[in-house]
Amino acid sequence: MADGARNTRFHGRVPGERVCSEPGCLEPGEFRAPADGPRGGFDGPGEWRFLCLDHVRAFNQRYNFFTGMTADEIAAQQRPYAGWERETRAFSTGGADRPPSWADFVDPLDAIQARFRATRPAERQDGRGLSGDERKALKVLGLEVDADRRALRQRYSELVRRYHPDRNGGDRSHESALQAVIEAYQTLRSAAAFA
């Protein structure tokens, strides 16, 4: 078997020129394993030793993370939130009207709900809903969500006068804007919110 194929066969292989740490073994030490010994106040893997494939398999079969721990230390490691008590670094703030930061909440679900409320589109005062196309049409006309039928007509006439070639000395460069305004008005005038 080629050496390149051998290196890709098993996950966790660490390249390098080392001999297996097991006494008497001359195979290459390609897999890392924690060094034996007490882990009082364990904070990371500490020292590594490198083993061949056969010896790392044997090590994995006999390895016990809880060896040397008291019953209380084992119970502390098995808690569902073990390790989450540590404080994390703060998120940067984006200014006064920034969305809420995670540090503002005790429960992450409150953060999700608040962020959803901040991005949810505004509703009309009269309670009539608007579709996505109707919201886009309002944007094209430059109207607020709460615009009424009178404001719609007034804004439409203003934009038609601005973009129509007859009002601009025959200049047809605003033709696409005029077409967008007409389509937006047609969408909104038949909408239930403007009835």
Side-chain angles (χ1 to χ4, degrees):
M1 180 184 294
D3 191 39
R6 184 173 151 220
N7 282 338
T8 58
R9 184 166 175 202
F10 296 102
H11 176 72
R13 202 179 286 271
V14 180
E17 300 292 324
R18 296 180 239 33
V19 177
C20 180
S21 299
E22 282 293 316
C25 183
L26 298 176
E27 292 291 317
E30 300 174 302
F31 298 92
R32 135 179 117 168
D36 289 334
R39 287 189 317 265
F42 181 76
D43 187 25
E47 296 297 317
W48 295 109
R49 60 188 188 144
F50 291 87
L51 302 172
C52 66
L53 181 60
D54 291 333
H55 285 119
V56 83
R57 284 178 174 160
F59 173 84
N60 286 340
Q61 284 182 337
R62 71 177 184 271
Y63 181 73
N64 183 353
F65 175 80
F66 301 108
T67 300
M69 290 187 185
T70 66
D72 291 337
E73 289 172 330
I74 292 172
Q77 288 294 323
Q78 291 178 333
R79 284 187 1 265
Y81 298 112
W84 287 94
E85 304 87 9
R86 291 188 292 264
E87 190 172 330
T88 59
R89 62 187 176 89
F91 293 102
S92 65
T93 58
D97 49 314
R98 65 176 174 79
S101 71
W102 291 103
D104 295 341
F105 302 94
V106 175
D107 178 13
L109 291 178
D110 286 340
I112 293 168
Q113 292 170 355
R115 187 161 293 183
F116 176 73
R117 278 193 299 273
T119 60
R120 206 161 103 209
E123 297 299 326
R124 292 177 56 89
Q125 296 288 350
D126 59 11
R128 294 179 176 165
L130 294 172
S131 70
D133 288 340
E134 292 166 352
R135 288 180 188 281
K136 286 178 190 172
L138 282 172
K139 223 177 228 184
V140 168
L141 295 176
L143 291 171
E144 295 296 320
V145 177
D146 272 332
D148 60 1
R149 190 163 184 83
R150 183 173 174 268
L152 174 64
R153 285 182 185 155
Q154 193 173 14
R155 182 67 175 159
Y156 173 68
S157 345
E158 176 187 323
L159 292 175
V160 166
R161 281 193 301 272
R162 182 185 303 168
Y163 295 134
H164 201 282
D166 292 346
R167 303 286 276 183
N168 290 316
D171 181 11
R172 299 178 73 89
S173 63
H174 301 291
E175 212 167 67
S176 61
L178 177 64
Q179 186 63 35
V181 166
I182 292 170
E183 287 174 12
Y185 178 72
Q186 294 300 330
T187 301
L188 292 173
R189 79 175 191 163
S190 58
F194 294 96

